[in-house]
Amino acid sequence: MQLHKSDIKYFKVIITKKICLLFLAVVMISLASCSETTTTEKTSLKEVFEDHFLIGAALNSDQILEKDSVANSIIKTHFNTITAENAFKWERIHPEPNVYNFELPDKIIAYGEKNNMINIGHVIIWHSQTPDWVYKDSNGKFLSREALLERIKEHIFTVVGRYKGKIKGWDVVNEAVEEDGSLRQSEWMKIIGEDYILKAFEFAHEADPDAELYYNDFSIENELKRNGAIKLVKDLKAKGAKVDGVGLQGHYKMDWPTAGQVDSTIKAFADLGVKVLITELDIDVLPYDFGNYTADINYKLEDRAELNPFKEGLPDSMQQALADRYSSLFKVFLNNSGSISRVTFWGVTDRESWLNYWPIMGRSNYPLLFDRNGKPKKAFDAVLRAVKR
Ligand code: XIL
């Protein structure tokens, strides 16, 4: 059969079109399978969140000393920033006048350096876990404003100075605001006055000019308290203090705060021009005093059997509810990832979480992403899915 010139041209066009379509299909398929592999392969939190924010955990002494092999492998796999749960608190690092315990703090710094993790310093000035002697002279009399300021300065220069360049950021002042937005009447406040906060930031900045400095608190998702914290940060900045970030502790309940509250809180602080950090994330699944959202470690609740309902394990429905709660929180974090620089969990596995001991000793709580044996929970999968979406 003789083919006409125009027929040949026609076939050429058809064939070229087909080749183009085929090529396009191959590209699309390979792109899809490529994104499929990246989304399904990554199961490490730090990798999955790498374009969004740092992801970390607080470590207890055994974990710092690498005595807890289960936690150790979770930490190395999933986290790129670590915070000592207690080792830097005044009562631990500076338990008596002129006595400093640097052993454990030095260990966590070395652990972080060895594993390429960013070290965070928690905490300098706080009304809790600070020994009584700090506020008093050797006769047990309360110090003058000047003497207490001198003591703070010496403490900050010694501790922050020692870890200069090794700790990326410090919780300089913790929990200075009350639920009604006023400043807490702590010993610091009573003896020095409200500028103890400003002074602490100034001393810390002097001790390590490159360190990030944060104000850290719980329940600042509640409007009154949030307004108090906003005022505090604004005042500090107006007085020239270097405040780099505000830490939302993130000791959350199943029903508080709402995702909307967390979202508006993050935006409110970001609007002040500071970084937002989620510094102590966990979700308490146990019953609590309705209306009381405190994470003040001095608060105690009377022990009653009905307040410890999951002694034998967390039912599936609750595991799912916890997963959904984590998922909705991480969606908020991800939507605000331009303002959030770090999310740190307060612990590694449910086994050693402080919520098993507070506000009642010896309950079984399930606030984290890994269960008592270090196995990822439904909540872990939900967090991974939140970012993949
Ligand atoms: C908690 C620790 O997890 C416990 O081990 C310790 O006994 C008490 O303090 N807000 C904070 C943290 O800023 O330092 C607290 O950590 C939890 C509440």
Side-chain angles (χ1 to χ4, degrees):
M1 187 183 92
Q2 271 273 310
L3 276 176
H4 196 265
K5 245 187 176 178
S6 64
D7 290 337
I8 295 176
K9 209 169 155 200
Y10 172 77
F11 282 124
K12 264 190 181 166
V13 170
I14 294 282
I15 289 168
T16 324
K17 267 190 182 166
K18 288 224 158 117
I19 289 176
C20 278
L21 279 173
L22 195 69
F23 179 72
L24 209 68
V26 170
V27 169
M28 301 267 282
I29 289 167
S30 57
L31 270 180
S33 72
C34 169
S35 78
E36 182 67 15
T37 37
T38 42
T39 51
T40 49
E41 267 173 14
K42 282 191 183 171
T43 52
S44 143
L45 292 173
K46 66 180 173 195
E47 284 175 22
V48 165
F49 286 103
E50 122 182 282
D51 296 333
H52 303 282
F53 33 70
L54 295 169
I55 191 109
L59 310 195
N60 65 20
S61 317
D62 278 359
Q63 292 159 351
I64 295 171
L65 297 170
E66 297 188 60
K67 286 183 183 166
D68 179 343
S69 58
V70 171
N72 198 24
S73 96
I74 295 176
I75 298 162
K76 289 183 180 166
T77 308
H78 293 287
F79 302 117
N80 48 22
T81 170
I82 49 176
T83 307
E85 187 176 358
N86 289 297
F88 286 81
K89 291 174 179 173
W90 197 311
E91 69 176 14
R92 299 284 180 97
I93 203 167
H94 190 181
E96 288 168 45
N98 307 317
V99 175
Y100 282 93
N101 276 335
F102 289 126
E103 207 186 318
L104 211 50
D106 284 358
K107 285 260 161 54
I108 192 168
I109 300 293
Y111 182 86
E113 284 175 351
K114 187 172 76 181
N115 295 296
N116 283 322
M117 294 168 184
I118 286 174
N119 269 291
I120 298 298
H122 173 80
V123 48
I124 307 176
I125 299 295
W126 189 21
H127 67 286
S128 295
Q129 294 185 276
T130 300
D132 241 20
W133 67 262
V134 174
Y135 312 108
K136 296 178 178 165
D137 65 17
S138 50
N139 298 317
K141 258 188 65 202
F142 279 109
L143 294 177
S144 65
R145 165 185 158 86
E146 284 66 35
L148 186 54
L149 278 173
E150 202 41 54
R151 193 158 273 175
I152 293 182
K153 185 174 178 182
E154 188 271 337
H155 177 85
I156 291 181
F157 275 40
T158 309
V159 175
V160 177
R162 181 181 181 92
Y163 299 107
K164 186 168 182 248
K166 291 173 182 283
I167 287 194
K168 175 182 167 129
W170 281 95
D171 291 336
V172 180
V173 175
N174 201 23
E175 305 177 358
V177 179
E178 290 280 13
E179 204 61 32
D180 66 0
S182 65
L183 287 180
R184 184 186 294 279
Q185 287 302 314
S186 60
E187 300 299 352
W188 309 111
M189 176 79 167
K190 286 193 249 172
I191 299 172
I192 299 172
E194 64 177 71
D195 64 341
Y196 81 89
I197 304 174
L198 175 66
K199 293 287 180 201
F201 274 87
E202 286 175 355
F203 295 147
H205 182 45
E206 221 182 309
D208 185 354
D210 294 329
E212 291 188 350
L213 306 180
Y214 316 125
Y215 174 69
N216 193 49
D217 212 332
F218 61 81
S219 75
I220 40 180
E221 294 78 4
N222 291 344
E223 200 179 343
L224 283 180
K225 186 161 176 178
R226 183 206 299 170
N227 290 341
I230 289 175
K231 181 175 179 312
L232 173 64
V233 173
K234 276 188 176 164
D235 286 353
L236 287 169
K237 291 186 92 162
K239 288 176 183 143
K242 179 181 183 285
V243 183
D244 299 289
V246 168
L248 315 188
Q249 287 187 3
H251 293 298
Y252 293 150
K253 316 285 184 196
M254 291 295 282
D255 57 355
W256 172 90
T258 63
Q261 269 176 295
V262 177
D263 183 66
S264 55
T265 306
I266 295 167
K267 293 190 162 73
F269 286 107
D271 283 349
L272 301 181
V274 293
K275 295 181 178 177
V276 179
L277 311 109
I278 312 297
T279 52
E280 306 182 15
L281 185 60
D282 50 21
I283 299 174
D284 185 349
V285 300
L286 298 181
Y288 66 104
D289 260 1
F290 182 72
N292 185 347
Y293 309 114
T294 190
D296 190 330
I297 65 164
N298 304 301
Y299 168 72
K300 298 270 176 288
L301 195 57
E302 196 197 324
D303 193 1
R304 299 197 306 270
E306 68 267 27
L307 299 181
N308 190 19
F310 308 124
K311 272 192 296 200
E312 311 306 334
L314 196 63
D316 260 4
S317 58
M318 283 295 293
Q319 292 285 11
Q320 189 54 53
L322 179 69
D324 295 344
R325 175 74 168 136
Y326 262 114
S327 170
S328 86
L329 284 170
F330 269 84
K331 279 183 204 152
V332 173
F333 301 158
L334 288 163
N335 286 339
N336 289 284
S337 67
S339 314
I340 297 182
S341 56
R342 168 168 60 91
V343 175
T344 293
F345 289 90
W346 207 240
V348 180
T349 79
D350 287 343
R351 187 172 64 91
E352 76 280 349
S353 161
W354 76 300
L355 292 176
N356 296 308
Y357 307 101
W358 178 91
I360 298 173
M361 273 302 279
R363 292 193 298 173
S364 303
N365 215 329
Y366 304 83
L368 297 166
L369 302 188
F370 298 91
D371 73 11
R372 282 170 165 67
N373 301 314
K375 229 180 106 227
K377 295 157 57 176
K378 276 198 166 94
F380 172 87
D381 299 332
V383 165
L384 282 194
R385 269 202 306 274
V387 66
K388 285 172 184 171
R389 205 168 3 227

